[in-house]
């Protein structure tokens, strides 16, 4: 029997298959549609300090191979999260990573303050695709100095594992990942959505109310893999791979390229059973390929001679 | 509103498929689970292709069910890629279906007269509702509007319940000429303010706006079944937001069509377009 356990810095998971923030609600919504305890970890929807109602509709549209979304980080806010959502998540037999969104570095710190006393949280994933209000809306992880700055502030607040989730909308993601590593995060998640845009030619309006939006789904997988490759080759930090993962082949591509875990996102909408099925099929693959443990697979990409 | 019932991801074999009107298809799926759990006004979310094109599931109202025989039906019009693929289905084919989903129609206990109003394909959830209401001994009146005679469907489903729908077509090819709101308004004038009458409607946004206005004008409470784009259908994408009419505190609030709806009280949500 292959051993599926994986380590992401200080974090030990029973398997490397997670669900991506914002594509799994607060977990409760999927009860009856899949077995949450089969997951390596649940990553929550982004939690912000104040509740946010989200953007006016339309918030989503389907595209070939993917979809655009601009939900506007609709969420209940950290206080209601602790009261109403955390008890269910904390009782699950899987690890819990809370994803945090902020407009300023202080926002991230304040959310962490609300969460530090709560048991059963195994780590924080920092959504650095959020627009930084102090930098004219530039995403926190679009510039290495800003990334290092915000990580420095947050690192002082907690001993818990910190994961920086990076935007792919940059020229050199390795510089951002390096800045996050230098600031003291334990891992990076790659990637958040690609910026995209679509027009309804009948109404001549943007197909998403907010305009430019986030592109996700199978179409973004090659871009995500290239970002994982770049960081794996240049930065010494554990990587969680995200982007278009629908099946075990997709997951394997990320693991072989160097990710020590993966997250399933858009695929949850179509098939909420995708992640547990990937766990099963990963085990079958490892058995078939005589791989005893995951480290034999992670980063095992071979070079052309 | 009714509590969220249990739902499941089911592989459902196709029992039968019929073209019941021009470009309009009725498909019977075998599924003991979904047929047993469904309530009128709820929907199912169907994976129409085995591959990734189209990527997302397509939502359809539960049109009719037979829990004893373990089947349910969906009714749809071909409007794009997904609905065209479904029209190619043959008996024995299997589709992955998630359902039943959402909150359906809630019949207030006081209801003695139920007015069911369907605009175009909005007739889809009404046969199931009519059947349940008739079984409960409620007096049911059905109003159906369509563009033309060839667009009308499910009339015999109402007929088999002993109901004779009032019909209006925009081209006058059958029934009254014009919108179905005209014969309905005549009836609402008689019923004005009746505490035991209730309106249940489904159809395009403009039609639902008219229904909301009529409901208010004639003081007959109503429920509307709305449609939005949906990525998941069960509350995890937060993409199906509709602005709530009654704002709590400051700023906008939204309801999710897939879990708070698709059926809402007619004064609950803002209808756009
Ligand atoms: C809760 C719910 C219940 C529904 N019940 C039924 C039903 O019983 N019968 C039925 O025929 N349809 C129903 N619909 C609409 C149905 O889901 C769409 O017609 C279908 O998704 C279109 O898929 P497509 O791939 O063929 O079209 P696409 O290629 O996706 O789109 C083709 C055209 O249809 C329009 N369209 C797409 N989705 C919708 C939508 N949700 N509402 C209105 N227009 C849309 C697009 O704007 C486009 O112009 C329901 C929708 C919802 C949300
Ligand atoms: C509807 C939707 C909502 C999302 N919300 C969040 C969010 O709140 N926080 C976050 O960090 N990422 C969010 N994401 C990004 C995903 O977590 C993931 O990084 C991205 O979708 C790429 O993976 P995928 O192609 O598998 O979906 C969201 C994605 C989608 C499609
Ligand atoms: S369709 Fe995904 S939350 Fe409603």
């Amino acid at each position: 029997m292959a051993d599926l356990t994986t380590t992401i810095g200080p974090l030990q998971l029973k398997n490397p298959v997670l669900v991506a923030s914002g594509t799994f609600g607060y977990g409760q919504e999927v009860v009856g549609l899949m077995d949450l305890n089969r997951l390596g970890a649940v990553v929550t929807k982004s939690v912000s300090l104040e509740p946010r109602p989200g953007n006016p509709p339309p918030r989503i549209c389907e595209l070939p191979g993917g979809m655009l979304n601009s939900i506007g980080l609709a969420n209940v806010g950290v206080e209601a999260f602790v009261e109403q959502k955390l008890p269910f998540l904390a009782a699950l037999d899987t690890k819990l990573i809370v994803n945090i969104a902020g407009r300023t570095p202080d926002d991230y710190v304040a959310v962490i303050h609300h969460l530090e006393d709560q048991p059963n949280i195994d780590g924080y994933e920092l959504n650095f695709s959020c627009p930084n209000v102090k930098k004219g809306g530039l995403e926190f992880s679009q510039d290495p100095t800003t990334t290092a700055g915000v990580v420095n502030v947050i690192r002082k607040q907690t001993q818990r594992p910190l994961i920086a989730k990076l935007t792919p909308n940059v020229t050199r993601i390795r510089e951002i990942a390096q800045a996050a590593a230098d600031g003291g995060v334990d891992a990076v998640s790659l990637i958040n959505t690609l910026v995209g845009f679509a027009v309804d030619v009948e109404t001549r309006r943007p197909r998403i109310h907010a305009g430019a939006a986030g592109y996700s789904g199978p179409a973004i997988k090659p871009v995500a893999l290239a970002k994982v490759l770049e960081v794996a080759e240049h930065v010494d930090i554990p990587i969680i791979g995200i982007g278009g993962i629908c099946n075990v082949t997709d997951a394997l591509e990320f693991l072989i390229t160097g990710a020590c875990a993966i997250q399933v996102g858009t695929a949850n909408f179509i098939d909420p059973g995708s992640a547990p099925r990937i766990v099963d099929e990963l085990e079958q693959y490892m058995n078939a390929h005589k791989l005893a443990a995951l480290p034999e697979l992670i980063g095992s990409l071979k070079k052309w001679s | 509103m009714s509590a969220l019932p249990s739902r499941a991801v089911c592989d459902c074999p196709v029992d039968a498929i019929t073209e019941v009107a021009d470009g309009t298809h009725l498909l019977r799926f075998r599924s003991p689970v979904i047929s047993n759990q469904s309530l009128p006004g709820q929907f199912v979310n169907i994976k129409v292709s085995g591959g990734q094109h189209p990527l997302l599931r397509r939502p359809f109202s539960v049109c009719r069910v037979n829990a004893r025989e373990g089947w349910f039906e969906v009714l749809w019009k071909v409007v794009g890629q997904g609905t065209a693929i479904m029209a190619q289905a043959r008996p024995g084919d299997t589709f992955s279906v998630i359902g039943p989903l959402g909150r359906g129609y809630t019949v207030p206990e006081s209801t003695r007269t139920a007015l069911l109003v369907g605009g175009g394909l909005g007739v889809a959830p009404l046969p199931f509702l009519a059947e349940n209401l008739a079984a409960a001994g409620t007096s049911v009146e059905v109003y159906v509007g369509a563009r033309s005679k060839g667009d009308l469907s499910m009339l015999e489903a109402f007929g088999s319940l002993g109901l004779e729908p009032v019909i209006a077509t925009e081209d006058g090819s059958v029934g009254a000429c014009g919108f179905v709101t005209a014969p309905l308004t005549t009836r609402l004038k008689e019923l004005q303010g009746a505490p035991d009458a209730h309106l249940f409607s489904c159809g395009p946004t403009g039609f639902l706006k008219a229904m909301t206005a009529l409901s208010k004008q004639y003081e007959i409470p109503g429920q509307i079944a709305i449609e939005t784009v949906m990525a998941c259908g069960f509350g995890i994408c937060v993409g199906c937001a509709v602005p709530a009419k009654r704002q709590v505190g400051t700023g906008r609030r939204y309801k999710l069509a897939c879990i708070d709806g698709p059926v809402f009280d007619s004064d609950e949500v803002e209808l756009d377009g």
Side-chain angles (χ1 to χ4, degrees), chain A residues 73-276:
Chain A
L73 293 171
N75 81 98
V76 296
V78 69
E79 281 178 25
F81 171 78
V82 168
E83 265 173 42
Q84 299 160 19
K85 310 293 178 186
L86 191 55
F88 170 84
L89 291 162
L92 294 172
D93 180 21
T94 180
K95 300 272 162 143
L96 175 62
I97 296 170
V98 178
N99 179 296
I100 302 172
R103 292 188 169 98
T104 63
D106 289 348
D107 278 357
Y108 291 92
V109 169
V111 174
I112 287 177
H113 279 179
H114 277 88
L115 297 173
E116 276 296 276
D117 297 342
Q118 301 298 325
N120 300 316
I121 294 176
D122 301 289
Y124 303 121
E125 183 180 66
L126 307 165
N127 178 353
F128 284 160
S129 294
C130 300
N132 178 354
V133 289
K134 290 196 179 140
K135 287 273 166 79
L138 205 66
E139 297 169 46
F140 279 99
S141 59
Q142 272 182 319
D143 158 65
T145 318
T146 311
T147 308
V150 64
V151 170
N152 265 315
V153 175
I154 297 168
R155 182 71 281 181
K156 296 194 182 82
Q157 311 300 320
T158 182
Q159 301 292 317
R160 284 178 170 161
L162 280 179
I163 303 160
K165 182 169 178 182
L166 305 184
T167 175
N169 304 311
V170 293
T171 309
R172 292 234 262 205
I173 201 160
R174 72 174 90 148
E175 292 173 0
I176 312 291
Q178 187 65 59
D182 294 345
V185 299
D186 300 290
V188 291
S189 290
L190 313 173
I191 59 174
N192 212 310
T193 51
L194 287 167
V195 67
F197 189 65
V199 180
D200 181 327
V201 298
E202 294 304 321
T203 63
R204 286 188 247 164
R205 287 195 195 125
R207 288 186 62 190
I208 300 289
H209 194 117
Y215 193 24
S216 68
I220 74 165
K221 189 184 69 168
V223 180
L225 278 166
K227 300 293 181 195
V228 169
L229 179 68
E230 183 186 330
V231 173
E233 282 180 337
H234 292 97
V235 188
D236 183 19
I237 185 132
I239 300 166
I240 303 174
I242 320 169
I245 298 174
C246 296
N247 55 46
V248 72
T249 309
D250 299 334
L252 282 163
E253 284 191 82
F254 280 88
L255 295 169
I256 293 166
T257 303
C260 54
I262 59 101
Q263 295 179 10
V264 178
T266 300
N268 296 315
F269 303 154
I270 302 138
D271 183 358
S274 304

Side-chain angles (χ1 to χ4, degrees), chain A residues 38-49:
Chain A
R38 301 288 318 282
L39 299 169
V42 170
V43 183
T44 68
K45 188 177 179 43
S46 281
V47 177
S48 57
L49 185 56

Side-chain angles (χ1 to χ4, degrees), chain B residues 183-235:
Chain B
L184 177 68
T185 304
T186 310
R187 180 66 176 126
L188 289 174
K189 280 183 181 153
E190 295 166 13
L191 287 169
Q192 180 148 16
D196 57 357
H198 208 87
L199 270 166
F200 301 91
S201 48
C202 181
T205 305
F207 165 84
L208 294 179
K209 276 187 165 172
M211 296 306 299
T212 301
L214 288 174
S215 185
K216 199 168 167 196
Q217 186 178 353
Y218 295 103
E219 304 158 280
I220 307 284
Q223 289 167 35
I224 53 174
I226 68 158
E227 287 183 7
T228 65
V229 283
M230 292 186 173
C232 71
F234 49 93

